[in-house]
Amino acid sequence: MRRMVLVLVLLIAGGARAADEKKPNWGYFDTPKLPSGWRVHDINRPRPPVVTPGAKSGAAPSDAIVLFDGTDLSNWVGTKQDNPKKKKYNPTGAALWKVENGYLECAPTGSIMTKQTFGDCQFHIEWQTANPRQGASQNAGNSGVFMMNRYETQVLDNYENRTYADGMAGCVYGQTPPMVNACRKPGEWQSYDIIFQAPRFEGETLVSPAYVTVLLNGVLVQHKTEILGPTSHKKRTAYKAHGKDVIALQDHDNNTRFRNIWIRELDLMKDDSKPE
Ligand code: MG
């Protein structure tokens, strides 16, 4: 009898696991292991606790380059796609996202990129996901800020919306979950302040990885987190040498909105401790 119960329990557990495997947005069992010991998008990695953020976020300081002030996309380009049979047909490569009421809204025309390239920086952006929520898990308000067109800080409607920990808002996607879940409700404006230290290369050799610090709605969610390589899905990646590059906002087929985007260029590896 005891043996039968054990077999039954194992069968149920196996069935639950099989059912979970059919919901890949909740996580995975079969992806490569990270140095932390967790798998990429590990379904069993604990979700960070919830913190309710305060009410306000920030305006641009005097030395900032304003990338979007609510009026136009003159500082941005789009993703060229000159095959009319493709879903994201965009023959000119212009930034085709919608601008209205002081915000820009992702349109299914491909990701948009800054015209200017950047390295180390402090970056501010505000974002809003649809209310009511459309889709679930990774399909709810998904976008992302890609520093140097490679390293994503995830944008996602993560308010009471379960997904894998390293895919949550404020994560280094596929690598490091946010320290807490500081998301506001769908339809509320949220903010990111991202301090990004670019990777350094000597020739083809990596001499210093990228690091990122992120505040979500004023709450620290990443603290000088080492970035392990360019962002990917279900994979680990390795650095390849590159110089300054554009910042991209991801088109993930969700109508996420953005406003008040500014950047301060920095040199975070400059040694100011001694006279010249
Ligand atoms: Mg994303």
Side-chain angles (χ1 to χ4, degrees):
M1 179 67 184
R2 200 177 284 175
R3 202 166 152 182
M4 268 181 66
V5 169
L6 183 66
V7 168
L8 201 62
V9 166
L10 286 173
L11 277 172
I12 290 167
R17 186 177 157 125
D20 267 348
E21 279 169 344
K22 286 180 190 156
K23 300 172 191 164
N25 281 332
W26 282 12
Y28 298 85
F29 298 103
D30 56 354
T31 43
K33 280 200 172 176
L34 294 163
S36 61
W38 296 107
R39 294 182 184 282
V40 176
H41 319 312
D42 198 316
I43 196 164
N44 293 315
R45 193 166 186 172
R47 275 80 179 161
V50 171
V51 167
T52 304
K56 287 236 168 181
S57 51
S62 62
D63 64 348
I65 299 166
V66 175
L67 295 170
F68 177 68
D69 67 359
T71 57
D72 63 57
L73 282 168
S74 55
N75 294 317
W76 299 81
V77 294
T79 304
K80 193 168 181 178
Q81 171 52 267
D82 47 20
N83 182 349
K85 289 182 182 159
K86 294 277 181 179
K87 186 176 157 201
K88 303 199 178 185
Y89 178 53
N90 180 357
T92 66
L96 298 177
W97 291 15
K98 187 164 71 180
V99 177
E100 61 180 17
N101 302 322
Y103 59 75
L104 65 98
E105 182 175 306
C106 179
T109 55
S111 299
I112 61 170
M113 282 75 67
T114 55
K115 288 180 178 170
Q116 193 173 336
T117 60
F118 299 98
D120 297 351
C121 63
Q122 175 184 346
F123 179 85
H124 177 90
I125 192 166
E126 294 165 25
W127 51 276
Q128 181 195 54
T129 59
N131 183 30
R133 175 177 295 148
Q134 295 161 8
S137 193
Q138 288 290 303
N139 295 318
N142 194 332
S143 182
V145 177
F146 280 70
M147 289 296 171
M148 306 188 99
N149 211 12
R150 290 169 179 79
Y151 311 108
E152 183 183 17
T153 299
Q154 172 74 309
V155 168
L156 193 76
D157 171 5
N158 231 154
Y159 184 84
E160 297 179 353
N161 174 34
R162 180 177 168 176
T163 192
Y164 43 84
D166 67 12
M168 290 173 63
C171 73
V172 178
Y173 185 79
Q175 299 179 13
T176 309
M179 293 153 75
V180 295
N181 180 351
C183 279
R184 301 188 196 280
K185 294 177 181 172
E188 294 186 15
W189 281 98
Q190 318 210 44
S191 69
Y192 271 151
D193 290 282
I194 301 174
I195 295 93
F196 176 76
Q197 181 174 311
R200 281 6 185 220
F201 302 91
E202 280 176 14
E204 294 303 306
T205 307
L206 178 75
V207 292
S208 175
Y211 293 94
V212 70
T213 296
V214 181
L215 291 98
L216 167 55
N217 298 322
V219 179
L220 186 70
V221 293
Q222 300 286 345
H223 175 226
K224 206 175 181 192
T225 303
E226 181 180 335
I227 296 177
L228 307 172
T231 298
S232 190
H233 180 56
K234 298 182 73 177
K235 284 186 203 138
R236 293 192 61 184
T237 60
Y239 280 100
K240 281 191 188 142
H242 64 85
K244 283 188 175 183
D245 210 335
V246 298
I247 295 172
L249 299 181
Q250 184 186 36
D251 170 11
H252 201 284
D253 294 315
N254 295 145
N255 55 347
T256 304
R257 294 171 178 172
F258 298 91
R259 70 179 186 190
N260 190 21
I261 310 174
W262 52 261
I263 189 167
R264 297 180 60 242
E265 295 185 285
L266 303 172
D267 181 354
L268 293 171
M269 291 185 75
K270 193 162 128 192
D271 186 359
D272 283 336
S273 61
K274 303 180 202 90
E276 303 250 328

